[in-house]
Amino acid sequence: AVLFTASTDNNSFAHANVEAAPLDTGVPKVLVENAYFGRYLPGGYLAYVSQGTVFAAPFDARSLKLTGTAIPILPGVDSDLSNGGAQLSVSDNGTAVYLSGGTANRNMNVMVVDRKGTASTVVSDQQDASSPNISPDGKRVAFQNSSGIWVHDLVRGTTTPIAMGVTGASHPVWTPDGQRITYVHPFSSGRDDSGER
């Protein structure tokens, strides 16, 4: 079987699942929700990361099922919700090596760099934000965060919600005329017709 992390948003693994798929069928099976970086440990355990803590649970590798309650074993392991990674490795004899630090802070600063290489901050400390995309006219920046899609006006210095409360909205992209924004959404057509912002 193959053990892997699955997420509907490849910019955030906060609500990912640790899954397994038998090689003969390829049909995935969810083992743990809201977790990532699943690893099989010798002796019959599944280790995974959730909210910066490594958990371990008894695991039957033949039936691909957890057979007991998960317990926290390593708090504060350096991990990154933007890619589902963790700074952790476990040897065959059960010895673990890891980097402490907890879940990576995903606050975003948007910088503009001119042709001379001078950088300036135009949007600062946007919590849980990613996927910045500048408009064709260079005057606005669209980005995503956990509450939806936002647009920052570089001229006015204002930030406006475009798709508030749309769970899973990601990857905003401007249309060529700069009048609309398209975005990925797992349960919709992924298009916002709200007009120019």
Side-chain angles (χ1 to χ4, degrees), residues 1 19 65 80 90 92 95 119 128 131 134 144 150 157 166 191:
E19 301 187 10
K65 290 182 180 178
D80 190 344
V90 182
D92 287 346
T95 302
D128 195 36
S131 299
I134 195 160
Q144 72 180 67
W150 296 72
V166 181
R191 181 173 156 180

Side-chain angles (χ1 to χ4, degrees), residues 63-165:
S63 64
L64 301 179
K65 290 182 180 178
L66 297 181
T67 58
T69 303
I71 59 170
I73 57 173
L74 286 173
V77 171
D78 185 37
S79 57
D80 190 344
L81 292 177
S82 69
N83 61 27
Q87 302 298 320
L88 168 72
S89 182
V90 182
S91 71
D92 287 346
N93 68 5
T95 302
V97 59
Y98 68 97
L99 180 65
S100 63
T103 304
N105 187 341
R106 292 185 21 134
N107 289 7
M108 180 182 74
N109 295 328
V110 177
M111 310 291 290
V112 171
V113 181
D114 65 21
R115 294 185 181 196
K116 296 179 181 179
T118 304
S120 58
T121 303
V122 294
V123 183
S124 62
D125 203 31
Q126 292 292 322
Q127 186 175 13
D128 195 36
S130 61
S131 299
N133 191 293
I134 195 160
S135 62
D137 61 8
K139 295 180 179 179
R140 292 161 294 167
V141 176
F143 61 92
Q144 72 180 67
N145 66 18
S146 57
S147 63
I149 305 293
W150 296 72
V151 170
H152 180 80
D153 190 308
L154 299 173
V155 177
R156 298 175 183 160
T158 57
T159 304
T160 307
I162 296 298
M164 278 292 290

